[in-house]
Amino acid sequence: MLARLAEDEQRLANDELPLLDEAERRGRLRILRSDDGESLLLLPGPVQAQDERAPVPFPEKLAMLRREIENSGNESLLRLLAAAYDTDHGWQEEWRT
């Protein structure tokens, strides 16, 4: 997953849309700020917030996801991210569920 995030970081540097942002646009997942604004929430599917929330900038998402992947090894998080990246045909077959 870290390699995939690095690819997205490079896409952003090349003025291309990161695949993670594309996955959000397609409704594969949603990354929102918590109510207190101190953290981010990673949710499956096209979740709509009760109140309109501004999109989370990619660099902020990237930092949060890297921390979570490196520090927690949360399999649910990894599977949700893998499902989001599954919109790209080159993604690893073993992560598909």
Side-chain angles (χ1 to χ4, degrees):
M1 289 297 2
L2 292 173
R4 208 53 176 178
L5 291 174
E7 288 176 30
D8 264 358
E9 189 173 32
Q10 186 61 48
R11 289 177 65 86
L12 184 66
N14 294 335
D15 292 324
E16 298 176 52
L17 183 66
L19 295 174
L20 188 60
D21 285 353
E22 178 65 27
E24 274 194 274
R25 287 184 181 183
R26 291 178 185 230
R28 310 243 340 148
L29 83 160
R30 186 89 166 138
I31 300 175
L32 305 170
R33 292 188 196 288
S34 61
D35 288 338
D36 63 7
E38 295 296 316
S39 61
L40 300 179
L41 305 172
L42 183 63
L43 305 168
V47 177
Q48 295 297 323
Q50 288 181 350
D51 55 339
E52 189 59 36
R53 297 182 189 200
V56 178
F58 183 77
E60 190 175 340
K61 288 187 256 190
L62 179 67
M64 183 274 297
L65 291 171
R66 276 194 176 138
R67 270 193 315 273
E68 285 295 315
I69 291 168
E70 291 171 344
N71 297 328
S72 75
N74 182 328
E75 188 170 330
S76 296
L77 169 77
L78 293 173
R79 291 205 177 274
L80 181 57
L81 284 175
Y85 278 119
D86 196 34
T87 59
D88 177 33
H89 65 84
W91 185 224
Q92 300 173 10
E93 188 67 35
E94 68 264 20
W95 283 102
R96 293 186 176 157
T97 55

